[in-house]
């Protein structure tokens, strides 16, 4: 792989034609497959959006190549990222050691680290990508919020209950990078009974399945919610879109590897969202509705002041991330080196 110079170029100044080049982004997720939603969000989408923000305004950059994430590509395309070219996995693999593209254009490589392990969360980077995604999808999210608000009408607290759906056929096929789906690993067989109990206690509940929804729809649902109730699973990646006052009631099964269940507890804690756990004795066991009701009741009301202070903290983390990026650009200006890693 060739070297990449991090020196900042003014995007408003046209570069000579001979300096133009393409970039092959290698999004280095930490575990699992980016064809699945959690690893896609934290191992692909978030690092991609932040890297793209730095690269696409440079006139010398012609195309930015990334690999396909199969069904997740719909979410990537919805962002309309300028200069981005999604390649098949095979096409992208062929570029791994290439110095030029098929038409002879110079090709440079950039490795971008993912965050898809709880101990790898970098909240400044997460919030930076959050801000950029919300900006790009702003109009679509606003329309979805207007359409979805009726799901919550009749409840004093906007409660979002997330259920699992049947796996799309792709994940059961030989084409899938990692065969299997969340419903194979965990399920909540009495989900309907639980939502009925919540409605009796708190009024209307927005009961949803997210597998066939757009990114804008998922963001809108989690933005509206005051309390999210869900079993441990990839859908809770959407906590990143929540308001600073939102709470999570996570139903988690007894696991032999306790670290596995820390994905969303740690995410909630890092974002200072209120968090409560409801135990499930086995991966596919029923959960007593009263235990979920108790979990919701145990969520303290958040004051306006606390919510505002948490939002300010998010803004400060974003600013710190931006300042560190500028410092890195200045530090690396004009310094050649190996294939860079972010």
């Amino acid at each position: 792989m060739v070297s990449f110079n991090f020196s900042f170029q003014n995007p408003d100044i046209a570069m000579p034609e001979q300096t133009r080049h393409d970039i092959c982004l290698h999004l280095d997720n930490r575990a699992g497959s980016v064809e699945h939603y959690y690893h896609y969000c934290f191992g692909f989408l978030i690092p991609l959006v932040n890297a793209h923000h730095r690269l696409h305004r440079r006139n010398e950059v012609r195309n930015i190549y990334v690999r396909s994430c199969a069904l997740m590509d719909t979410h990537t395309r919805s962002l309309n990222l300028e200069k981005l070219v999604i390649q098949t996995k095979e096409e992208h693999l062929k570029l791994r050691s290439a110095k030029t593209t098929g038409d002879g254009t110079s090709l440079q490589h950039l490795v971008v680290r993912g965050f898809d392990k709880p101990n790898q969360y970098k909240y400044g980077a997460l919030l930076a990508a959050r801000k950029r995604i919300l900006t790009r999808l702003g109009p679509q999210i606003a329309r979805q919020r207007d359409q979805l608000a009726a799901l919550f009408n009749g409840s004093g607290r906007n409660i979002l209950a997330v259920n699992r759906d049947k796996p799309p056929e792709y994940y059961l096929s030989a084409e899938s990078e990692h065969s299997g789906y969340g419903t194979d690993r965990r399920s909540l067989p009495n989900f309907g009974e639980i939502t009925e109990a919540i409605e009796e206690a708190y009024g209307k509940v927005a009961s949803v399945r997210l597998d066939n929804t757009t990114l804008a729809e998922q963001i809108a649902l989690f933005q509206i919610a005051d309390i999210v109730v869900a079993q441990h699973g990839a859908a809770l990646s959407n906590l990143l879109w929540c308001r600073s006052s939102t709470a999570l009631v996570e139903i988690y099964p007894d696991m032999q590897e306790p670290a596995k269940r820390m994905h969303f507890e740690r995410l909630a804690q890092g974002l200072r969202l209120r968090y409560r756990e409801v135990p499930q004795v086995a991966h596919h066991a029923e959960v007593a509705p009263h235990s979920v009701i108790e979990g919701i009741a145990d969520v303290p009301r958040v004051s306006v002041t606390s919510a505002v202070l948490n939002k300010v903290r998010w803004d400060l983390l974003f600013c710190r991330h931006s300042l560190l990026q500028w410092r890195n650009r200045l530090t690396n200006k004009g310094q050649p080196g190996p294939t860079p890693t972010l």
Side-chain angles (χ1 to χ4, degrees), residues 173-234:
S173 72
E175 296 179 66
S176 177
E177 199 168 62
H178 183 79
S179 183
Y181 203 61
T183 47
D184 299 329
R185 296 184 289 274
R186 293 173 294 274
S187 66
L188 198 55
N190 64 327
F191 179 85
E193 184 184 356
I194 290 170
T195 55
E196 287 177 7
I198 298 173
E199 288 190 342
E200 288 180 10
Y202 292 100
K204 192 170 183 181
V205 175
S207 176
V208 300
R209 300 175 190 266
L210 300 178
D211 298 75
N212 295 310
T213 55
T214 66
L215 183 58
E217 286 178 86
Q218 296 186 50
I219 292 173
L221 283 165
F222 278 75
Q223 280 189 339
I224 297 171
D226 295 319
I227 299 175
V228 176
V229 179
Q231 188 188 37
H232 176 88

Side-chain angles (χ1 to χ4, degrees), residues 106-124:
S106 174
L107 182 66
Q108 298 186 356
H109 296 263
L110 177 62
V111 178
V112 185
R113 293 194 179 114
F115 308 107
D116 51 332
K117 275 192 174 181
N119 61 355
Q120 299 294 335
Y121 293 158
K122 297 186 185 301
Y123 294 97

Side-chain angles (χ1 to χ4, degrees), residues 44 91 93 104 111 166 178 186 197 210 215 246-247 251 254 296 309 315 337:
F44 184 91
E91 289 172 335
L93 188 61
V111 178
K166 293 180 180 180
H178 183 79
R186 293 173 294 274
L210 300 178
L215 183 58
T246 303
I251 300 169
D254 182 29
I296 295 172
L309 288 175
D315 291 340

Side-chain angles (χ1 to χ4, degrees), residues 265-277:
E265 179 179 356
R266 187 165 291 179
L267 182 60
Q269 290 172 347
L271 296 173
R272 302 286 176 88
L273 304 178
R274 295 161 297 153
Y275 178 86
R276 293 294 182 270
E277 297 177 342

Side-chain angles (χ1 to χ4, degrees), residues 16-34:
E17 186 64 32
Q18 63 267 25
T19 68
R20 291 183 180 270
H21 58 266
D22 291 343
I23 292 179
C24 185
L25 274 185
H26 305 275
L27 293 149
D28 182 24
N29 68 300
R30 302 307 178 97
S33 167
V34 294

